Amino acid sequence: MTSPRDIHSYLAEFDDIPGTRVFTAKRARQGYKLNQFAMSLMKAENRERWKADERAYLKEWKLTPEQEEALLARDYNKLLDLGGNIYFMAKVFSTDGKSFLQAVSTMSGMSLEEYQAMMLAGGRSPEGVRSIREKK
Amino acid sequence: MARITAGVASSHIPALGVASDLDKTGEEYWKPAFAGYEWTKAWEAEQKPDVVVLVYNDHASAFDMRIIPTFAIGCAEEFQPADEGWGPRQVPVVQGHPDLAWHIAQSCILDEFDMTIINEMDVDHGLTVPLSMMFGKPDAWPCRVIPLAVNVVTYPPPSGNRCWALGEAIARAVASFPEDLNVQVWGTGGMSHQLQGPRAGLINKEWDNRFLDRLIGDSDALRHIPHIEYLRETGSEGIEMVMWLIMRGALGRETRCLHRHYHVPASNTAVGHIVLEPVGGDGPQVPDSDTIEANSPAAQGMIG
């Protein structure tokens, strides 16, 4: 048996990982329309409509004002907080012509160059970023 | 009878697919990542598997938030490469094996795994990148492929233990398929990576390599790793490694390592790859099902 018997303790641990938003049922529910909006950008005609007038296209999706503003600002950390999932948000940055590396680096507080250099040097060490509670 | 002859695990990094498609594999940045697959390409050319059961996760391509199956098996004749937002990859159409896929689906359901059956879907980089890594750029993929999609995006994903046990059920299903087929099981995705948030870019080489170590031999310790450990130690998307445990479970009690490769970085992630074969008998040594239906000759007769 791998799974904990208590779902509340299972979920609570996800809040203890520094700088990480786990896509829990709560976030999936909160972000349903946001993620389905992003999914619509898999169709070329929708990408064209979005690029022509982002605000007008967003109106069709009945998102919260916060979600709309975070989308227009391409604030991916905020979007994850508001129920977005990275694989869905990828449709937004792909439409912008950005790679995963470019988009992900904007969430890390580093410049693209700094982020790339960190990856080339072996990536971010797990030391000190495993747990908020234990700071180890 | 069909038999599982080997297991392959590999990361399925989209940037590797792009590098392959644009013939950039010889560039300094990509060369070390691709070099670790040369052995496998030559080996696969000799092995000539008839069918690969390819365990992967869909990345909001075939499945969006409307439907989230935990385990879904592709039973279609063929699967087109998905348009992930910049047009479909220019790779061959994936040819399925509906007879074996349906057989695995019904065997697993009798074995108490609630499989979702998919008769139409496109397959994204999660499935097509491993094919490129193992087979290069042929005009047609050299074998049939049964896609087995696992939800590792919306929580909770299946436990490692459940994945391992599903692998065992797949091995039982394959062993009871009457046609003589050389079958491989591939587990894809995985190794350290975090694609989101301020902790993005996490890489834990020690943990990854210990995971690779423990796929070899007769330990089943990996099936007991809880989700939280993958997340803390290997980043939020490191959870994809549970999919490798379906491959490992399908190889049975003991495995031997034929080839192993690890490299950092490729885009945001570590590249992990291993080739294993089952040890100790004619095919994987897996326990009998503990369900009456799956053990019953009468029930098995119904699905033969």
Side-chain angles (χ1 to χ4, degrees):
Chain A
M1 187 66 191
T2 324
S3 304
R5 292 288 178 180
D6 178 358
I7 192 166
H8 302 293
S9 62
Y10 171 83
L11 293 170
E13 287 213 73
F14 296 148
D15 293 330
D16 182 51
I17 308 172
T20 302
R21 280 87 165 161
V22 179
F23 195 59
T24 55
K26 190 177 174 184
R27 285 209 170 91
R29 183 177 171 194
Q30 179 191 14
Y32 184 77
K33 289 178 187 169
L34 173 61
N35 290 317
Q36 291 302 88
F37 146 77
M39 198 71 193
S40 75
L41 298 179
M42 285 184 74
K43 291 202 169 79
E45 63 265 32
N46 291 336
R47 293 197 285 272
E48 292 315 310
R49 291 179 56 216
W50 161 249
K51 282 194 244 186
D53 189 340
E54 294 189 358
R55 280 186 189 277
Y57 188 69
L58 279 180
K59 286 293 164 228
E60 298 170 20
W61 291 89
K62 297 187 171 57
L63 306 182
T64 67
E66 263 187 311
Q67 288 171 334
E68 288 192 1
E69 290 312 310
L71 271 173
L72 294 168
R74 307 295 194 268
D75 183 343
Y76 289 105
N77 281 328
K78 184 81 178 168
L79 286 164
L80 264 48
D81 282 339
L82 299 173
N85 172 276
I86 192 62
Y87 290 126
F88 289 82
M89 295 304 111
K91 319 302 180 197
V92 181
F93 61 70
S94 296
T95 302
D96 288 339
K98 296 238 184 321
S99 70
F100 254 100
L101 192 81
Q102 288 170 317
V104 165
S105 67
T106 68
M107 292 190 276
S108 70
M110 304 166 93
S111 70
L112 177 60
E113 292 72 25
E114 288 167 340
Y115 185 82
Q116 275 175 318
M118 176 182 79
M119 293 314 300
L120 281 170
R124 184 188 304 281
S125 166
E127 293 306 317
V129 291
R130 291 185 171 98
S131 164
I132 297 167
R133 201 169 52 229
E134 296 171 19
K135 285 206 171 136
K136 66 175 189 187
Chain B
M1 297 295 245
R3 63 205 184 282
I4 293 173
T5 55
V8 174
S10 173
S11 304
H12 58 208
I13 305 158
L16 289 176
V18 175
S20 169
D21 296 345
L22 302 179
D23 294 318
K24 290 181 171 180
T25 58
E27 287 184 5
E28 194 185 345
Y29 181 84
W30 293 112
K31 214 172 177 174
F34 280 89
Y37 290 84
E38 290 304 319
W39 183 94
T40 314
K41 276 186 195 163
W43 173 81
E44 287 286 10
E46 284 174 16
Q47 293 291 307
K48 296 188 174 59
D50 299 303
V51 187
V52 167
V53 177
L54 204 161
V55 182
Y56 76 112
N57 66 293
D58 178 79
H59 303 74
S61 302
F63 308 125
D64 55 28
M65 293 302 294
R66 289 176 302 172
I67 301 175
I68 306 169
T70 296
F71 297 122
I73 185 164
C75 296
E77 295 280 353
E78 61 177 40
F79 306 90
Q80 299 286 335
D83 181 345
E84 298 183 51
W86 50 91
R89 285 190 70 205
Q90 297 300 304
V91 292
V93 172
V94 173
Q95 302 297 324
H97 196 301
D99 289 341
L100 179 58
W102 274 107
H103 177 82
I104 292 173
Q106 59 193 356
S107 296
C108 286
I109 289 166
L110 284 180
D111 217 346
E112 300 186 346
F113 285 86
D114 308 315
M115 307 301 290
T116 298
I117 291 155
I118 306 288
N119 286 311
E120 280 184 37
M121 73 170 170
D122 294 345
V123 288
D124 71 13
H125 72 265
L127 187 129
T128 61
V129 168
L131 291 172
S132 299
M133 300 311 288
M134 259 44 91
F135 298 135
K137 298 179 78 172
D139 293 333
W141 298 124
C143 64
R144 294 178 179 271
V145 176
I146 297 175
L148 199 155
V150 180
N151 167 47
V152 288
V153 174
T154 304
Y155 277 69
S159 69
N161 187 50
R162 190 68 176 154
C163 288
W164 189 294
L166 176 60
E168 293 178 338
I170 290 168
R172 286 190 289 269
V174 169
S176 66
F177 189 69
E179 204 176 322
D180 183 27
L181 294 173
N182 176 357
V183 179
Q184 293 184 359
V185 181
W186 295 6
T188 75
M191 292 283 115
S192 296
H193 58 311
Q194 174 148 343
L195 304 177
Q196 48 116 329
R199 204 176 71 135
L202 191 98
I203 300 285
N204 189 339
K205 291 179 194 172
E206 289 75 22
W207 200 98
D208 285 348
N209 278 288
R210 203 161 64 245
F211 190 91
L212 290 168
D213 291 341
R214 295 195 289 182
L215 287 166
I216 306 161
D218 63 0
S219 166
D220 71 346
L222 294 177
R223 68 196 293 172
H224 303 298
I225 296 171
H227 291 156
I228 188 70
E229 182 174 332
Y230 290 100
L231 297 176
R232 287 196 200 280
E233 296 291 336
T234 69
S236 45
E237 280 65 46
I239 192 68
E240 291 178 356
M241 278 182 267
V242 297
M243 294 190 292
W244 293 24
L245 300 183
I246 296 176
M247 176 279 290
R248 176 61 191 84
L251 296 188
R253 211 177 77 79
E254 187 176 351
T255 64
R256 180 186 300 124
C257 177
L258 301 179
H259 177 65
R260 177 173 171 164
H261 170 51
Y262 184 81
H263 171 72
V264 176
S267 184
N268 292 283
T269 101
V271 180
H273 170 45
I274 196 164
V275 180
L276 301 169
E277 67 177 7
V279 172
D282 188 21
Q285 304 297 299
V286 295
D288 289 339
S289 169
D290 57 8
T291 74
I292 292 167
E293 288 80 0
N295 270 332
S296 147
Q300 283 292 327
M302 282 166 59
I303 64 170

